[in-house]
Amino acid sequence: MTDLQQEHKLPGNLSLPSSADELLNLIGREEGAYKYSVEDFFRNPEQTGFQLSPGGDYLAFASPYERRQNVFVCPTDGGEPIRITHETERDIGGFFWANNNRIVYVKDSGGDENFQLFAVDRDGQNPRDLTPFQNVKIEFIDHLEDQEDELIIGMNKENPMLFEPYRLNVQTGEYQRLAPNDNPEEPITGWMTDHAGRLRIAIKTINGVNQHIMYRAKEDEPFRTVVKTNFKESLDPLFFDFDDGDVVFCVSNIGRDRGEIIRFDFNTGEEVGAPVFAHPEVDAGSLLYSRKRKVLLGAVYTTWKRQIDFFDEQRKKMQEHLEGLLPGYEVVAVSSNRAEDKYMIRTYSDRSLGGYFFYDLNQGTIRKISDVSPWLNEEDMAPMEPVTYTARDGEMVQGYLTIPKNKKGQKVPVVINPHGGPWVRDSWGYNPEVQLLASRGYAVFQPNYRGSTGYGKDFWMKGFKQWGRDMQNDITDGVQWLIDTGIADPARVAIYGASYGGYATLAGITFTPELYACAVDYVGVSNLFTFMETIPPYWKPYLDMLYEMVGHPEEDQALLRAGSPVFHIDEIKTPLFVVQGANDPRVNIDESDQIVHSLRERGIDVPYMVKYNEGHGFANEENRFEFYEAMIGFLAKHMK
């Protein structure tokens, strides 16, 4: 294949991306001597993601090899690590111990998110591609901890819209379909097993907006529908009660505003007893339990930061002991051996990625394994503070504000950073983007605008069909609050976001251009019509839900047109930098091409970075470096 032929296979308009020299010129705009480089914030950790083997004798972790994250294994008590994977094109996307000798891992190709599954022994022997299928995506259903050589996964092998469950042998690659999912009109979009690995719950999506939760007591019985909900109300099964009977722990917001953890009897179709956990301000998150002791340990939820309410005295005492040994950090048990007497512990804070520690419960001892980013001194980082402000209609909006060190009480340049999703939320913790910006003198503001999840059903639904409207007003009102309180220098406010945050960036400079000195759109939506036309096939079952949450292209045509920045190009006056991964399956490159082409038609220079080996965000280290160096240069050009 000639270079020209190869070139024509690349996505998007190849005439639009800025040249290497143009981007280099942008990078050169940032001047000054700083203690930390861009690379310091975004380089791959030397060692991260530690997981204990089921027997507790080995550790697996991710570490760079030829600039890509690969899997390494070493004995728990020390010794030279062995690299067991050899990926040089793309980081390993994730991994876990299938049994005491074998590790499975996933990776995609160029950011296309069609994750394939691989397995390899802990000594690097017997590697196998377990899902050698083109354009097929896998999802995990059950790791089958008690069935060492098998997993249950979902694959959209027969139809790209539909995931069917398969039992897969991690040694041989042999697989067996466990149930059909062959009706695109009523697709099954979720599966769940009991503690013995039996497939007993299936969640069917009807007309894109309704869910039927189906149940069977035994695998030789047919599924029957027990609960019918609209997507605005949810019953999310977490796991079966320990006797593997009919009762399942679930998060439910049916008949309530905030999600609560309940016990639900799928035989009778009714809740059992009082809620296991409820919080007065936020949704319940998840439930911790001991597989060995068969007891509930505690409920996890997020207020301004992650919290746990412990039910189990033994686990509570362990947490208190760990926090005493590791003061000043959030302390999380990330994995354990099967005997639950050896643990991998992770620490973190808003100013540190922390480290990994090996904890022996019986001995009560702890040993540091590795710091995640030892080249960064947390004392040099800026604290992330929770804030609350009032929007124009009286709605209370929560978020986070990070002010550069030694700048409190001064008016500072601010980067507004709305989160992606949009149906997620920002939370407290270390964020390399935030710390890079703070190190260069910018405050960073992260509002959890209406539509964000975690604050109850009502707050989430207030974002429906509000792209460019109330959701955007919450961001705008946050900027005004920063100005009114004397935090932001009104002449030096920028906006930067990715995915929905990229859309909010474009909407910000379209509908309130006077607010922003400059803007950076990273894999953002510019046209609400084409966005919904180009979603990946496995999102198609949810298309009617998207229509209710964003807008219907025919029934809400005026609304979508009013909210699409690409149709209001004449309003954009703010300097803009656009960044896109060419293989993005969620926000097609056409979204960025449209806005760049339209602005350049008006004679406006728009720097445009495209990476042809990336998808929805940049995973490869060298691309991250170039993007953030260019972004910092762009901000310096317009803000300093």
Side-chain angles (χ1 to χ4, degrees):
M1 184 179 290
T2 67
D3 288 345
L4 186 62
Q5 286 173 313
Q6 182 64 44
E7 183 178 69
H8 283 303
K9 291 178 72 69
L10 296 174
N13 184 338
L14 303 186
S15 69
L16 290 176
S18 301
S19 68
D21 286 344
E22 289 169 327
L23 293 172
L24 205 56
N25 181 52
L26 203 57
I27 290 169
R29 293 290 184 146
E30 173 65 285
E31 298 175 354
Y34 297 99
K35 182 173 181 179
Y36 300 109
S37 67
V38 167
E39 287 88 343
D40 288 329
F41 291 100
F42 292 99
R43 61 188 265 202
N44 284 331
E46 291 301 322
Q47 296 183 334
T48 191
F50 283 87
Q51 293 183 35
L52 266 176
S53 63
D57 299 325
Y58 291 89
L59 296 173
F61 61 93
S63 186
Y65 163 70
E66 295 191 10
R67 302 189 77 170
R68 299 292 179 259
Q69 292 290 71
N70 276 266
V71 182
F72 291 69
V73 173
C74 67
T76 303
D77 56 7
E80 192 65 27
I82 297 171
R83 177 171 50 81
I84 64 169
T85 62
H86 314 276
E87 299 301 330
T88 56
E89 292 297 316
R90 194 87 179 152
D91 288 345
I92 298 287
F95 65 92
F96 61 88
W97 292 90
N99 56 50
N100 210 48
N101 185 58
R102 199 146 173 85
I103 287 173
V104 297
Y105 64 95
V106 296
K107 71 180 184 76
D108 73 349
S109 177
D112 64 4
E113 298 188 20
N114 287 324
F115 286 98
Q116 288 180 262
L117 188 65
F118 301 81
V120 62
D121 290 349
R122 71 177 184 222
D123 60 2
Q125 298 299 305
N126 302 314
R128 183 179 288 275
D129 182 350
L130 297 174
T131 57
F133 314 113
Q134 286 284 85
N135 300 316
V136 170
K137 182 182 175 78
I138 69 111
E139 57 184 21
F140 289 108
I141 296 172
D142 193 337
H143 293 182
L144 298 178
E145 291 180 45
D146 297 326
Q147 299 168 44
E148 294 198 341
D149 288 339
E150 294 184 325
L151 309 170
I152 297 178
I153 64 169
M155 283 193 287
N156 59 346
K157 195 164 74 70
E158 304 304 323
N159 184 324
M161 290 173 55
L162 304 172
F163 287 83
E164 296 182 302
Y166 293 84
R167 185 178 292 270
L168 177 70
N169 188 296
V170 299
Q171 304 286 354
T172 66
E174 293 174 355
Y175 59 90
Q176 172 195 1
R177 192 179 74 164
L178 298 179
N181 185 17
D182 50 16
N183 183 359
E185 299 302 313
E186 296 186 354
I188 296 173
T189 51
W191 304 89
M192 186 174 145
T193 56
D194 61 16
H195 295 286
R198 294 173 296 226
L199 206 61
R200 298 196 34 211
I201 290 177
I203 301 172
K204 182 181 286 187
T205 297
I206 311 290
N207 299 323
V209 294
N210 299 310
Q211 285 195 332
H212 289 188
I213 304 178
M214 303 186 299
Y215 172 75
R216 61 187 181 188
K218 299 176 182 177
E219 281 193 308
D220 58 4
E221 297 178 0
F223 283 107
R224 62 182 175 89
T225 298
V226 176
V227 181
K228 296 180 181 180
T229 68
N230 181 271
F231 78 96
K232 296 167 188 172
E233 291 196 306
S234 62
L235 180 77
D236 295 327
L238 298 174
F239 53 86
F240 278 79
D241 207 342
F242 301 108
D243 63 0
D244 268 345
D246 299 314
V247 174
V248 177
F249 292 101
C250 302
V251 177
S252 174
N253 67 4
I254 296 174
R256 38 174 76 87
D257 179 47
R258 292 174 180 84
E260 301 178 1
I261 296 176
I262 64 164
R263 298 171 78 241
F264 191 88
D265 188 321
F266 273 88
N267 184 43
T268 64
E270 296 178 346
E271 286 188 32
V272 179
V276 176
F277 176 80
H279 191 276
E281 297 174 6
V282 296
D283 294 324
S286 58
L287 201 55
L288 305 177
Y289 70 95
S290 164
R291 190 174 180 88
K292 179 189 175 187
R293 293 191 289 129
K294 295 182 170 51
V295 294
L296 297 178
L297 301 178
V300 182
Y301 58 100
T302 301
T303 52
W304 64 276
K305 69 174 183 177
R306 182 180 184 269
Q307 314 269 7
I308 304 177
D309 272 16
F310 286 103
F311 312 143
D312 178 67
E313 196 61 30
Q314 179 178 321
R315 181 61 182 84
K316 183 180 179 182
K317 286 180 178 177
M318 175 180 140
Q319 188 71 21
E320 290 169 348
H321 185 224
L322 286 167
E323 290 175 0
L325 294 170
L326 301 164
Y329 295 95
E330 300 299 302
V331 180
V332 182
V334 291
S335 75
S336 75
N337 64 343
R338 195 166 289 172
E340 297 182 9
D341 59 6
K342 295 175 181 176
Y343 291 84
M344 282 307 302
I345 305 298
R346 172 77 187 267
T347 59
Y348 72 92
S349 73
D350 55 337
R351 298 190 294 158
S352 172
L353 282 169
Y356 287 90
F357 299 80
F358 175 73
Y359 179 65
D360 188 312
L361 178 65
N362 295 331
Q363 301 294 324
T365 57
I366 198 162
R367 171 167 53 90
K368 178 180 274 192
I369 300 296
S370 178
D371 287 313
V372 177
S373 52
W375 52 87
L376 294 174
N377 183 347
E378 63 189 277
E379 296 302 317
D380 297 327
M381 303 296 121
M384 182 182 188
E385 304 286 351
V387 295
T388 304
Y389 62 97
T390 306
R392 64 189 67 181
D393 60 358
E395 187 74 46
M396 299 300 292
V397 181
Q398 298 184 31
Y400 299 92
L401 179 64
T402 302
I403 295 178
K405 288 206 71 175
N406 307 317
K407 295 288 184 181
K408 274 205 169 180
Q410 304 176 36
K411 282 189 178 180
V412 291
V414 180
V415 176
I416 310 303
N417 182 214
H419 62 73
W423 306 294
V424 293
R425 59 160 291 177
D426 265 327
S427 54
W428 183 89
Y430 182 85
N431 182 320
E433 290 184 331
V434 170
Q435 294 301 335
L436 168 66
L437 291 166
S439 77
R440 298 314 191 252
Y442 306 106
V444 182
F445 178 61
Q446 300 167 277
N448 279 324
Y449 46 80
R450 72 193 75 192
S452 301
T453 54
Y455 298 102
K457 182 167 50 182
D458 183 56
F459 189 78
W460 169 60
M461 289 176 60
K462 283 178 179 175
F464 285 13
K465 297 188 179 182
Q466 294 299 316
W467 289 42
R469 294 157 68 92
D470 283 349
M471 294 167 77
Q472 197 69 32
N473 291 343
D474 286 349
I475 298 168
T476 302
D477 295 347
V479 177
Q480 198 58 53
W481 172 75
L482 290 169
I483 294 169
D484 292 346
T485 53
I487 294 167
D489 177 348
R492 294 190 294 163
V493 178
I495 184 166
Y496 155 62
S499 194
Y500 176 84
Y503 165 81
T505 294
L506 295 174
I509 62 172
T510 301
F511 306 127
T512 52
E514 72 285 350
L515 268 189
Y516 300 109
C518 63
V520 181
D521 159 30
Y522 186 21
V523 298
V525 173
S526 65
N527 181 333
L528 296 178
F529 296 98
T530 55
F531 162 62
M532 285 189 279
E533 288 170 3
T534 56
I535 61 171
Y538 42 85
W539 283 14
K540 298 282 188 193
Y542 306 105
L543 193 56
D544 287 315
M545 191 187 306
L546 267 181
Y547 291 162
E548 285 205 33
M549 298 171 81
V550 182
H552 192 284
E554 294 170 5
E555 296 168 14
D556 300 305
Q557 187 173 5
L559 179 83
L560 295 184
R561 192 171 187 86
S564 295
V566 76
F567 298 120
H568 309 281
I569 288 295
D570 290 349
E571 303 298 323
I572 297 179
K573 304 173 181 65
T574 309
L576 174 66
F577 176 31
V578 178
V579 184
Q580 180 70 42
N583 305 316
D584 191 335
R586 305 181 189 206
V587 178
N588 189 277
I589 188 173
D590 186 52
E591 293 298 312
S592 291
D593 279 1
Q594 286 181 72
I595 203 79
V596 172
H597 177 73
S598 298
L599 285 170
R600 287 186 183 166
E601 286 278 287
R602 282 182 53 213
I604 297 173
D605 177 42
V606 183
Y608 184 26
M609 177 184 286
V610 175
K611 292 299 178 186
Y612 291 95
N613 59 348
E614 296 286 7
H616 197 59
F618 292 177
N620 293 339
E621 186 180 61
E622 66 278 8
N623 294 334
R624 294 199 303 271
F625 292 169
E626 187 182 352
F627 163 46
Y628 289 109
E629 285 170 350
M631 182 173 83
I632 288 297
F634 180 79
L635 292 173
K637 178 179 178 180
H638 298 287
M639 297 267 279
K640 289 188 175 179

